[in-house]
Amino acid sequence: MTDTTAVENGVTSQYVARVADDLEDNRKEQERLGAEIAALQSQLASLDKDREVLLSLQKTLGAASVPAAPEADGAPSPTATAATAAVDGQTPVTPAKGRKARAKKSVPAPRKAEGTAKKASVKTAAPQQPSLVSLTHEFLAGQTEPRSAAEVAEALAQQHPDRGIKATVVRTTLEGLVAKNRAQRSKQGSSVFYTAPDPTT
């Protein structure tokens, strides 16, 4: 029993010593990594400061290149001229970038003009067909009896199948004519009928 106990005590002491060594190694490694982390954090803080300075410079240079547009009119402001000269002295590439940016921005203008021209041509072509208001008014003027909105819409749809006339639109058109005294509304039970205005009134 005594020998066994001695052996166990010896093994235990070896484990205790090994664990103590491992703990010491762990502590040293943590200290080393902590020092590296602190150094990296210091570098990161320095980089953040540099980034703020660079962003500030970028904004200043960007703001200086924007007012350069009045040069096209031949009357640049003294501030813009000084800023442009400073930029030219430090970074000659910046003005070229500014001109490219202005050139790109000016490109879409002709496309917008083309689109406007196309819309204008469509608008000028549209009056060739009579409007729904005039069609509805003419239809009512040719009727001898009151007509419902559905009847008017059906008749106009048959006369102009290419227009895609809908009853709801015709009803709105009829109400608009009534509001302008170009049509009269009457009720028969729950139904509403429309007629052309009496020419004597």
mmCIF file of all heavy atoms in Angstrom, residues 40-77:
data_model
loop_
_atom_site.group_PDB
_atom_site.id
_atom_site.type_symbol
_atom_site.label_atom_id
_atom_site.label_comp_id
_atom_site.label_asym_id
_atom_site.label_seq_id
_atom_site.Cartn_x
_atom_site.Cartn_y
_atom_site.Cartn_z
ATOM 1 N N LEU A 40 -1.903 46.385 -32.825
ATOM 2 C CA LEU A 40 -2.791 46.436 -33.977
ATOM 3 C C LEU A 40 -3.891 47.478 -33.781
ATOM 4 O O LEU A 40 -4.261 48.194 -34.719
ATOM 5 C CB LEU A 40 -3.418 45.052 -34.226
ATOM 6 C CG LEU A 40 -2.459 43.982 -34.751
ATOM 7 C CD1 LEU A 40 -3.143 42.630 -34.797
ATOM 8 C CD2 LEU A 40 -1.950 44.349 -36.146
ATOM 9 N N GLN A 41 -4.413 47.573 -32.553
ATOM 10 C CA GLN A 41 -5.434 48.581 -32.280
ATOM 11 C C GLN A 41 -4.876 49.988 -32.440
ATOM 12 O O GLN A 41 -5.550 50.881 -32.940
ATOM 13 C CB GLN A 41 -6.001 48.387 -30.862
ATOM 14 C CG GLN A 41 -6.928 47.182 -30.741
ATOM 15 C CD GLN A 41 -7.444 46.997 -29.327
ATOM 16 O OE1 GLN A 41 -6.868 47.523 -28.383
ATOM 17 N NE2 GLN A 41 -8.532 46.239 -29.177
ATOM 18 N N SER A 42 -3.619 50.155 -32.017
ATOM 19 C CA SER A 42 -2.980 51.455 -32.196
ATOM 20 C C SER A 42 -2.835 51.779 -33.675
ATOM 21 O O SER A 42 -3.089 52.907 -34.111
ATOM 22 C CB SER A 42 -1.620 51.452 -31.503
ATOM 23 O OG SER A 42 -0.941 52.671 -31.737
ATOM 24 N N GLN A 43 -2.434 50.764 -34.464
ATOM 25 C CA GLN A 43 -2.310 50.966 -35.913
ATOM 26 C C GLN A 43 -3.671 51.271 -36.538
ATOM 27 O O GLN A 43 -3.796 52.124 -37.428
ATOM 28 C CB GLN A 43 -1.699 49.728 -36.569
ATOM 29 C CG GLN A 43 -0.229 49.497 -36.224
ATOM 30 C CD GLN A 43 0.325 48.251 -36.877
ATOM 31 O OE1 GLN A 43 -0.332 47.623 -37.697
ATOM 32 N NE2 GLN A 43 1.538 47.882 -36.503
ATOM 33 N N LEU A 44 -4.712 50.556 -36.062
ATOM 34 C CA LEU A 44 -6.061 50.769 -36.583
ATOM 35 C C LEU A 44 -6.546 52.183 -36.276
ATOM 36 O O LEU A 44 -7.129 52.858 -37.122
ATOM 37 C CB LEU A 44 -7.022 49.741 -35.975
ATOM 38 C CG LEU A 44 -8.475 49.807 -36.458
ATOM 39 C CD1 LEU A 44 -8.554 49.574 -37.958
ATOM 40 C CD2 LEU A 44 -9.318 48.764 -35.721
ATOM 41 N N ALA A 45 -6.271 52.640 -35.057
ATOM 42 C CA ALA A 45 -6.650 54.004 -34.688
ATOM 43 C C ALA A 45 -5.930 55.024 -35.566
ATOM 44 O O ALA A 45 -6.518 56.016 -36.011
ATOM 45 C CB ALA A 45 -6.353 54.250 -33.218
ATOM 46 N N SER A 46 -4.647 54.747 -35.832
ATOM 47 C CA SER A 46 -3.882 55.653 -36.690
ATOM 48 C C SER A 46 -4.439 55.665 -38.112
ATOM 49 O O SER A 46 -4.561 56.723 -38.737
ATOM 50 C CB SER A 46 -2.411 55.221 -36.696
ATOM 51 O OG SER A 46 -1.655 56.030 -37.561
ATOM 52 N N LEU A 47 -4.810 54.465 -38.599
ATOM 53 C CA LEU A 47 -5.391 54.381 -39.937
ATOM 54 C C LEU A 47 -6.736 55.096 -40.005
ATOM 55 O O LEU A 47 -7.080 55.722 -41.011
ATOM 56 C CB LEU A 47 -5.556 52.914 -40.345
ATOM 57 C CG LEU A 47 -4.257 52.165 -40.674
ATOM 58 C CD1 LEU A 47 -4.544 50.690 -40.893
ATOM 59 C CD2 LEU A 47 -3.599 52.759 -41.913
ATOM 60 N N ASP A 48 -7.531 54.999 -38.934
ATOM 61 C CA ASP A 48 -8.819 55.695 -38.885
ATOM 62 C C ASP A 48 -8.624 57.198 -38.973
ATOM 63 O O ASP A 48 -9.359 57.908 -39.674
ATOM 64 C CB ASP A 48 -9.573 55.347 -37.600
ATOM 65 C CG ASP A 48 -10.269 53.991 -37.700
ATOM 66 O OD1 ASP A 48 -10.461 53.509 -38.822
ATOM 67 O OD2 ASP A 48 -10.621 53.441 -36.652
ATOM 68 N N LYS A 49 -7.616 57.709 -38.237
ATOM 69 C CA LYS A 49 -7.335 59.141 -38.298
ATOM 70 C C LYS A 49 -6.902 59.550 -39.701
ATOM 71 O O LYS A 49 -7.323 60.573 -40.234
ATOM 72 C CB LYS A 49 -6.251 59.510 -37.286
ATOM 73 C CG LYS A 49 -6.715 59.434 -35.839
ATOM 74 C CD LYS A 49 -5.611 59.824 -34.885
ATOM 75 C CE LYS A 49 -6.073 59.730 -33.429
ATOM 76 N NZ LYS A 49 -4.999 60.080 -32.483
ATOM 77 N N ASP A 50 -6.015 58.714 -40.301
ATOM 78 C CA ASP A 50 -5.574 59.005 -41.674
ATOM 79 C C ASP A 50 -6.754 59.007 -42.632
ATOM 80 O O ASP A 50 -6.839 59.837 -43.554
ATOM 81 C CB ASP A 50 -4.533 57.974 -42.124
ATOM 82 C CG ASP A 50 -3.220 58.106 -41.359
ATOM 83 O OD1 ASP A 50 -3.009 59.155 -40.700
ATOM 84 O OD2 ASP A 50 -2.409 57.166 -41.428
ATOM 85 N N ARG A 51 -7.666 58.072 -42.418
ATOM 86 C CA ARG A 51 -8.846 57.976 -43.297
ATOM 87 C C ARG A 51 -9.707 59.223 -43.184
ATOM 88 O O ARG A 51 -10.191 59.752 -44.197
ATOM 89 C CB ARG A 51 -9.666 56.739 -42.923
ATOM 90 C CG ARG A 51 -10.895 56.526 -43.780
ATOM 91 C CD ARG A 51 -11.595 55.218 -43.404
ATOM 92 N NE ARG A 51 -12.770 55.020 -44.212
ATOM 93 C CZ ARG A 51 -13.987 55.494 -43.899
ATOM 94 N NH1 ARG A 51 -14.143 56.197 -42.795
ATOM 95 N NH2 ARG A 51 -15.023 55.268 -44.674
ATOM 96 N N GLU A 52 -9.892 59.723 -41.959
ATOM 97 C CA GLU A 52 -10.679 60.938 -41.767
ATOM 98 C C GLU A 52 -10.031 62.128 -42.477
ATOM 99 O O GLU A 52 -10.710 62.936 -43.111
ATOM 100 C CB GLU A 52 -10.837 61.233 -40.276
ATOM 101 C CG GLU A 52 -11.746 60.238 -39.553
ATOM 102 C CD GLU A 52 -11.813 60.502 -38.066
ATOM 103 O OE1 GLU A 52 -11.194 61.483 -37.611
ATOM 104 O OE2 GLU A 52 -12.481 59.737 -37.370
ATOM 105 N N VAL A 53 -8.706 62.204 -42.368
ATOM 106 C CA VAL A 53 -7.996 63.293 -43.040
ATOM 107 C C VAL A 53 -8.149 63.178 -44.553
ATOM 108 O O VAL A 53 -8.415 64.164 -45.250
ATOM 109 C CB VAL A 53 -6.501 63.284 -42.641
ATOM 110 C CG1 VAL A 53 -5.714 64.282 -43.482
ATOM 111 C CG2 VAL A 53 -6.343 63.604 -41.153
ATOM 112 N N LEU A 54 -8.014 61.937 -45.082
ATOM 113 C CA LEU A 54 -8.137 61.734 -46.526
ATOM 114 C C LEU A 54 -9.552 62.042 -47.011
ATOM 115 O O LEU A 54 -9.742 62.627 -48.083
ATOM 116 C CB LEU A 54 -7.752 60.292 -46.874
ATOM 117 C CG LEU A 54 -6.266 59.952 -46.712
ATOM 118 C CD1 LEU A 54 -6.037 58.459 -46.887
ATOM 119 C CD2 LEU A 54 -5.424 60.741 -47.703
ATOM 120 N N LEU A 55 -10.566 61.633 -46.224
ATOM 121 C CA LEU A 55 -11.950 61.937 -46.600
ATOM 122 C C LEU A 55 -12.191 63.439 -46.627
ATOM 123 O O LEU A 55 -12.877 63.964 -47.510
ATOM 124 C CB LEU A 55 -12.924 61.262 -45.618
ATOM 125 C CG LEU A 55 -13.105 59.752 -45.777
ATOM 126 C CD1 LEU A 55 -13.986 59.201 -44.657
ATOM 127 C CD2 LEU A 55 -13.725 59.422 -47.130
ATOM 128 N N SER A 56 -11.612 64.126 -45.632
ATOM 129 C CA SER A 56 -11.754 65.581 -45.598
ATOM 130 C C SER A 56 -11.116 66.221 -46.827
ATOM 131 O O SER A 56 -11.679 67.123 -47.451
ATOM 132 C CB SER A 56 -11.114 66.125 -44.319
ATOM 133 O OG SER A 56 -11.170 67.530 -44.286
ATOM 134 N N LEU A 57 -9.932 65.716 -47.187
ATOM 135 C CA LEU A 57 -9.266 66.231 -48.394
ATOM 136 C C LEU A 57 -10.070 65.917 -49.642
ATOM 137 O O LEU A 57 -10.183 66.742 -50.550
ATOM 138 C CB LEU A 57 -7.864 65.620 -48.513
ATOM 139 C CG LEU A 57 -6.800 66.158 -47.545
ATOM 140 C CD1 LEU A 57 -5.525 65.344 -47.654
ATOM 141 C CD2 LEU A 57 -6.512 67.630 -47.834
ATOM 142 N N GLN A 58 -10.639 64.708 -49.686
ATOM 143 C CA GLN A 58 -11.434 64.320 -50.852
ATOM 144 C C GLN A 58 -12.645 65.226 -51.014
ATOM 145 O O GLN A 58 -12.971 65.663 -52.116
ATOM 146 C CB GLN A 58 -11.895 62.864 -50.704
ATOM 147 C CG GLN A 58 -12.608 62.321 -51.932
ATOM 148 C CD GLN A 58 -13.108 60.919 -51.709
ATOM 149 O OE1 GLN A 58 -13.731 60.619 -50.700
ATOM 150 N NE2 GLN A 58 -12.829 60.033 -52.635
ATOM 151 N N LYS A 59 -13.305 65.530 -49.880
ATOM 152 C CA LYS A 59 -14.457 66.437 -49.950
ATOM 153 C C LYS A 59 -14.024 67.818 -50.411
ATOM 154 O O LYS A 59 -14.692 68.464 -51.221
ATOM 155 C CB LYS A 59 -15.133 66.524 -48.581
ATOM 156 C CG LYS A 59 -15.917 65.280 -48.209
ATOM 157 C CD LYS A 59 -16.581 65.452 -46.857
ATOM 158 C CE LYS A 59 -17.358 64.210 -46.460
ATOM 159 N NZ LYS A 59 -17.988 64.355 -45.127
ATOM 160 N N THR A 60 -12.890 68.281 -49.880
ATOM 161 C CA THR A 60 -12.402 69.603 -50.264
ATOM 162 C C THR A 60 -12.074 69.648 -51.750
ATOM 163 O O THR A 60 -12.459 70.577 -52.461
ATOM 164 C CB THR A 60 -11.153 69.962 -49.441
ATOM 165 O OG1 THR A 60 -11.486 69.893 -48.049
ATOM 166 C CG2 THR A 60 -10.659 71.347 -49.787
ATOM 167 N N LEU A 61 -11.373 68.627 -52.237
ATOM 168 C CA LEU A 61 -11.013 68.585 -53.649
ATOM 169 C C LEU A 61 -12.239 68.418 -54.518
ATOM 170 O O LEU A 61 -12.365 69.027 -55.582
ATOM 171 C CB LEU A 61 -10.022 67.450 -53.912
ATOM 172 C CG LEU A 61 -8.639 67.612 -53.250
ATOM 173 C CD1 LEU A 61 -7.802 66.377 -53.488
ATOM 174 C CD2 LEU A 61 -7.934 68.840 -53.772
ATOM 175 N N GLY A 62 -13.183 67.586 -54.082
ATOM 176 C CA GLY A 62 -14.420 67.394 -54.845
ATOM 177 C C GLY A 62 -15.222 68.667 -54.904
ATOM 178 O O GLY A 62 -15.743 69.051 -55.946
ATOM 179 N N ALA A 63 -15.310 69.391 -53.780
ATOM 180 C CA ALA A 63 -16.049 70.653 -53.746
ATOM 181 C C ALA A 63 -15.363 71.701 -54.597
ATOM 182 O O ALA A 63 -16.004 72.543 -55.201
ATOM 183 C CB ALA A 63 -16.181 71.144 -52.301
ATOM 184 N N ALA A 64 -14.035 71.631 -54.680
ATOM 185 C CA ALA A 64 -13.296 72.612 -55.483
ATOM 186 C C ALA A 64 -13.486 72.363 -56.964
ATOM 187 O O ALA A 64 -13.478 73.283 -57.754
ATOM 188 C CB ALA A 64 -11.812 72.560 -55.129
ATOM 189 N N SER A 65 -13.691 71.086 -57.374
ATOM 190 C CA SER A 65 -13.826 70.788 -58.791
ATOM 191 C C SER A 65 -15.223 71.073 -59.304
ATOM 192 O O SER A 65 -15.418 71.296 -60.476
ATOM 193 C CB SER A 65 -13.473 69.316 -59.057
ATOM 194 O OG SER A 65 -14.366 68.459 -58.375
ATOM 195 N N VAL A 66 -16.244 71.062 -58.425
ATOM 196 C CA VAL A 66 -17.615 71.299 -58.872
ATOM 197 C C VAL A 66 -17.842 72.720 -59.343
ATOM 198 O O VAL A 66 -18.380 72.951 -60.400
ATOM 199 C CB VAL A 66 -18.615 70.926 -57.750
ATOM 200 C CG1 VAL A 66 -20.018 71.354 -58.124
ATOM 201 C CG2 VAL A 66 -18.551 69.438 -57.494
ATOM 202 N N PRO A 67 -17.404 73.781 -58.558
ATOM 203 C CA PRO A 67 -17.659 75.150 -59.012
ATOM 204 C C PRO A 67 -16.896 75.535 -60.261
ATOM 205 O O PRO A 67 -17.042 76.623 -60.747
ATOM 206 C CB PRO A 67 -17.195 76.015 -57.827
ATOM 207 C CG PRO A 67 -17.184 75.100 -56.660
ATOM 208 C CD PRO A 67 -16.830 73.771 -57.223
ATOM 209 N N ALA A 68 -16.031 74.645 -60.784
ATOM 210 C CA ALA A 68 -15.270 74.976 -61.980
ATOM 211 C C ALA A 68 -16.151 75.072 -63.212
ATOM 212 O O ALA A 68 -15.722 75.493 -64.246
ATOM 213 C CB ALA A 68 -14.174 73.945 -62.214
ATOM 214 N N ALA A 69 -17.451 74.633 -63.108
ATOM 215 C CA ALA A 69 -18.359 74.675 -64.251
ATOM 216 C C ALA A 69 -18.547 76.062 -64.828
ATOM 217 O O ALA A 69 -18.643 76.214 -66.030
ATOM 218 C CB ALA A 69 -19.713 74.083 -63.850
ATOM 219 N N PRO A 70 -18.616 77.170 -64.008
ATOM 220 C CA PRO A 70 -18.800 78.499 -64.602
ATOM 221 C C PRO A 70 -17.700 78.908 -65.565
ATOM 222 O O PRO A 70 -17.831 79.911 -66.241
ATOM 223 C CB PRO A 70 -18.837 79.426 -63.381
ATOM 224 C CG PRO A 70 -19.282 78.562 -62.256
ATOM 225 C CD PRO A 70 -18.707 77.226 -62.552
ATOM 226 N N GLU A 71 -16.592 78.176 -65.653
ATOM 227 C CA GLU A 71 -15.529 78.527 -66.587
ATOM 228 C C GLU A 71 -16.041 78.543 -68.017
ATOM 229 O O GLU A 71 -15.535 79.258 -68.863
ATOM 230 C CB GLU A 71 -14.364 77.548 -66.471
ATOM 231 C CG GLU A 71 -13.602 77.682 -65.169
ATOM 232 C CD GLU A 71 -12.498 76.660 -65.067
ATOM 233 O OE1 GLU A 71 -12.264 75.939 -66.043
ATOM 234 O OE2 GLU A 71 -11.873 76.591 -63.996
ATOM 235 N N ALA A 72 -17.070 77.710 -68.274
ATOM 236 C CA ALA A 72 -17.619 77.674 -69.624
ATOM 237 C C ALA A 72 -18.238 79.013 -69.994
ATOM 238 O O ALA A 72 -18.276 79.408 -71.146
ATOM 239 C CB ALA A 72 -18.666 76.564 -69.728
ATOM 240 N N ASP A 73 -18.766 79.752 -69.006
ATOM 241 C CA ASP A 73 -19.356 81.057 -69.273
ATOM 242 C C ASP A 73 -18.293 82.146 -69.354
ATOM 243 O O ASP A 73 -18.602 83.298 -69.638
ATOM 244 C CB ASP A 73 -20.358 81.419 -68.165
ATOM 245 C CG ASP A 73 -21.492 80.402 -68.098
ATOM 246 O OD1 ASP A 73 -21.799 79.804 -69.150
ATOM 247 O OD2 ASP A 73 -22.033 80.223 -67.016
ATOM 248 N N GLY A 74 -17.047 81.815 -68.983
ATOM 249 C CA GLY A 74 -15.978 82.789 -69.056
ATOM 250 C C GLY A 74 -15.872 83.665 -67.830
ATOM 251 O O GLY A 74 -15.187 84.672 -67.849
ATOM 252 N N ALA A 75 -16.585 83.315 -66.735
ATOM 253 C CA ALA A 75 -16.541 84.153 -65.536
ATOM 254 C C ALA A 75 -16.403 83.294 -64.299
ATOM 255 O O ALA A 75 -17.335 83.179 -63.508
ATOM 256 C CB ALA A 75 -17.797 85.016 -65.455
ATOM 257 N N PRO A 76 -15.249 82.611 -64.097
ATOM 258 C CA PRO A 76 -15.067 81.816 -62.890
ATOM 259 C C PRO A 76 -14.880 82.725 -61.683
ATOM 260 O O PRO A 76 -14.322 83.806 -61.790
ATOM 261 C CB PRO A 76 -13.803 81.003 -63.183
ATOM 262 C CG PRO A 76 -13.051 81.841 -64.163
ATOM 263 C CD PRO A 76 -14.079 82.562 -64.998
ATOM 264 N N SER A 77 -15.368 82.242 -60.536
ATOM 265 C CA SER A 77 -15.210 83.023 -59.315
ATOM 266 C C SER A 77 -13.764 82.947 -58.836
ATOM 267 O O SER A 77 -13.068 81.980 -59.121
ATOM 268 C CB SER A 77 -16.137 82.480 -58.225
ATOM 269 O OG SER A 77 -15.749 81.176 -57.885
#
